[in-house]
Amino acid sequence: MAFHPDSGVSSWSRVGKREHRVARPRFAAELAAWNRSSRDTRLAIGNGRSYSDVGLCDRGNLIAMSGLDRFRSFDPETGILVAEAGAMLDAILETFVPRGFFLPVTPGTRFVTLGGAVANDVHGKNHHRAGTFGRHVRSIVLERSDMGRVRVSPDENPQLFAATIGGLGLTGIIVEVELQLQQIASSQLDVETIACVDLDALCDTLERSETGFEHSVAWIDCTARNGRGIVSRANWVETGPLSVHAPPRRSVPGIGVPTPLNPMTLKLFNGAYFTMGQMRAGRAQIHYSPFFYPLDAILNWNRLYGKQGFYQYQCVIPAAAGRAPLAALLAEIAASGEGSLLAVLKTFGDLPSPGMLSFPTKGLTLALDFRNRGAATLSLFDRLDRIVLEAGGRLYPAKDLRMPAALFRAGYPQSKQFEAMIDPCCRSDFWTRVAQ
């Protein structure tokens, strides 16, 4: 397995590049052979869609897993899929939607690998019903520097399984995943759209949606102080076509193009988006693609933020803290003049994840993108951090590029227990930063 120098590896947010030596294995056997013979620092990566430095290992060895993308087996009676870790969610959907199966939990992009979904224990719009991705993983095969190939599951090596779900790729190289798919009768969703004039109405609608709807999400106008927004809630249609998504048809130009985003354009876009949401209010049947993956319609959308890149800030505010911290976060963001085109608010239910470092906890989660303005952006994040910390909340490692170590330790009380399960040769820039 050959490694080659690469000085251009960065996160999806394109903030900072790192130097690595990168290998791209095509077969699990060559990965296993290298693992038996090497004790070099390593980190496995998927499709590079994390906004964070969880997929970076400065001056270390990156193992790009996208070539290990084969489906090993599938049982149409049970919906159990066994696949290599480099298999893309996009490919899983293309293959199994026509057969009447869907991902049990999906993040906001289908361009992530199976191993990446496990390592970050991704969540979706159905957390109140299905929990995190890790709840649907039956077993995992790891390559560890100290143990060789090992299978982990809730019954076999359960502590290592719990560390690997949401373990940021640090417990060894995820080689294979056994996943329970969800059966569907149609690729269409019955979607209801509701415009809400303030934060209380938005949160009330989201909370009521947990009872009668499998999926729910809200867009929130982060430039308005009152927290107005649009709720979309949906159930699968009980009969209909089983058609797959279309490939992206548009692309953002290269990185030399200046970003069109500034306080004025953000305010104009958010105002127009709310007005369009009011006009769309009501019910409609739509394909799963625009509901789950709106940004996947545009290739390289991360270029919208220009050559300086952007940060994403995603936090969860526990239900016990109430809505006041969320209102305070939105007030700080609105006052800054910064914000996001597509600010997302979702509810987390009380289904526990099997992962030690899993992000969700019962409450509300807010995710926004911010253009990188250097010190001004980081200063805003410091103010947001204080609100999150006082509320007993936490930030999402998969989206984070600058979380202070103290905030990480406060938000993830099992981090010391997790640390004992790390593969001795695995390292990431994220872990180096927060495990102080």
Side-chain angles (χ1 to χ4, degrees):
M1 192 170 73
F3 285 85
H4 302 282
D6 190 331
S7 60
V9 181
S10 68
S11 69
W12 180 247
S13 63
R14 299 174 49 248
V15 175
K17 293 183 178 180
R18 309 285 193 274
E19 293 185 7
H20 298 88
R21 296 173 65 245
V22 181
R24 304 182 185 278
R26 287 287 297 138
F27 300 98
E30 57 181 311
L31 178 59
W34 175 81
N35 186 50
R36 287 192 298 269
S37 64
S38 174
R39 291 296 175 267
D40 290 345
T41 299
R42 79 281 305 268
L43 182 70
I45 59 169
N47 196 38
R49 283 301 184 105
S50 174
Y51 303 69
S52 169
D53 51 0
V54 295
L56 302 177
C57 178
D58 193 24
R59 302 183 188 279
N61 297 306
L62 282 185
I63 302 171
M65 297 292 290
S66 56
L68 296 173
D69 60 355
R70 300 163 185 85
F71 300 148
R72 293 298 190 189
S73 66
F74 178 69
D75 186 340
E77 297 297 321
T78 63
I80 295 173
L81 169 67
V82 179
E84 291 180 326
M88 296 270 280
L89 301 190
D90 180 72
I92 293 174
L93 294 172
E94 285 185 339
T95 303
F96 295 105
V97 165
R99 303 185 192 187
F101 291 92
F102 200 79
L103 297 163
V105 169
T106 182
T109 176
R110 61 183 185 269
F111 297 122
V112 300
T113 61
L114 188 54
V118 172
N120 294 286
D121 197 17
V122 297
H123 56 271
K125 299 175 175 67
N126 61 343
H127 186 274
H128 59 285
R129 293 281 185 91
T132 64
F133 196 87
R135 287 179 61 90
H136 308 274
V137 173
R138 295 167 58 91
S139 69
I140 303 165
V141 174
L142 293 172
E143 283 283 356
R144 282 184 59 103
S145 65
D146 55 352
M147 300 169 65
R149 178 162 291 203
V150 57
R151 182 179 297 275
V152 300
S153 73
D155 301 317
E156 191 175 2
N157 297 301
Q159 282 290 98
L160 187 52
F161 178 79
T164 302
I165 299 293
L168 311 176
L170 294 172
T171 64
I173 301 167
I174 299 174
V175 177
E176 189 176 278
V177 178
E178 182 182 5
L179 178 69
Q180 175 70 65
L181 298 184
Q182 175 191 8
Q183 195 160 14
I184 57 172
S186 171
S187 55
Q188 300 288 112
L189 290 155
D190 182 10
V191 180
E192 183 176 11
T193 302
I194 303 168
C196 302
V197 296
D198 57 33
L199 184 60
D200 281 334
L202 194 70
C203 292
D204 286 345
T205 304
L206 276 175
E207 290 174 6
R208 288 195 302 268
S209 300
E210 292 186 358
T211 302
F213 295 86
E214 183 176 352
H215 304 278
S216 61
V217 64
W219 166 85
I220 191 166
D221 183 352
C222 59
T223 66
R225 294 175 182 270
N226 63 353
R228 67 181 185 177
I230 308 294
V231 172
S232 298
R233 54 192 191 182
N235 290 312
W236 289 103
V237 173
E238 294 182 358
T239 182
L242 288 166
S243 58
V244 300
H245 51 270
R249 294 190 175 94
R250 290 170 287 175
S251 180
V252 176
I255 60 175
V257 178
T259 177
L261 304 180
N262 57 56
M264 179 180 295
T265 58
L266 285 169
K267 192 170 186 63
L268 288 171
F269 175 87
N270 277 265
Y273 197 87
F274 182 75
T275 300
M276 287 190 297
Q278 289 177 306
M279 295 171 62
R280 293 196 314 267
R283 300 184 74 139
Q285 286 192 10
I286 66 171
H287 192 262
Y288 68 78
S289 185
F291 183 78
F292 290 119
Y293 312 115
L295 287 177
D296 283 352
I298 306 172
L299 282 174
N300 303 314
W301 64 261
N302 56 339
R303 294 175 177 173
L304 281 171
Y305 289 88
K307 64 180 181 180
Q308 299 302 319
F310 68 101
Y311 291 89
Q312 184 167 110
Y313 192 94
Q314 183 167 3
C315 64
V316 57
I317 301 298
R323 298 173 186 173
L326 179 61
L329 289 169
L330 292 170
E332 279 286 358
I333 294 165
S336 75
E338 293 298 315
S340 180
L341 294 175
L342 294 174
V344 175
L345 183 69
K346 296 193 294 280
T347 57
F348 286 150
D350 55 8
L351 292 173
S353 168
M356 291 181 184
L357 296 188
S358 293
F359 167 65
T361 187
K362 184 173 176 58
L364 289 160
T365 178
L366 177 67
L368 307 97
D369 297 334
F370 294 88
R371 60 187 181 136
N372 177 19
R373 296 188 302 130
T377 304
L378 298 178
S379 177
L380 169 62
F381 290 164
D382 288 342
R383 300 194 296 275
L384 301 183
D385 285 349
R386 287 193 288 272
I387 298 170
V388 172
L389 184 62
E390 290 173 5
R394 60 175 67 140
L395 304 187
Y396 189 15
K399 305 290 183 71
D400 173 72
L401 265 169
R402 35 65 57 199
M403 186 195 315
L407 184 56
F408 173 75
R409 288 194 300 270
Y412 294 90
Q414 288 187 280
S415 59
K416 285 298 181 184
Q417 182 183 354
F418 168 80
E419 191 167 8
M421 309 303 292
I422 293 177
D423 185 306
C425 290
C426 285
R427 176 174 67 83
S428 72
D429 290 355
F430 173 86
W431 190 256
T432 300
R433 174 163 54 85
V434 302
Q436 299 176 12

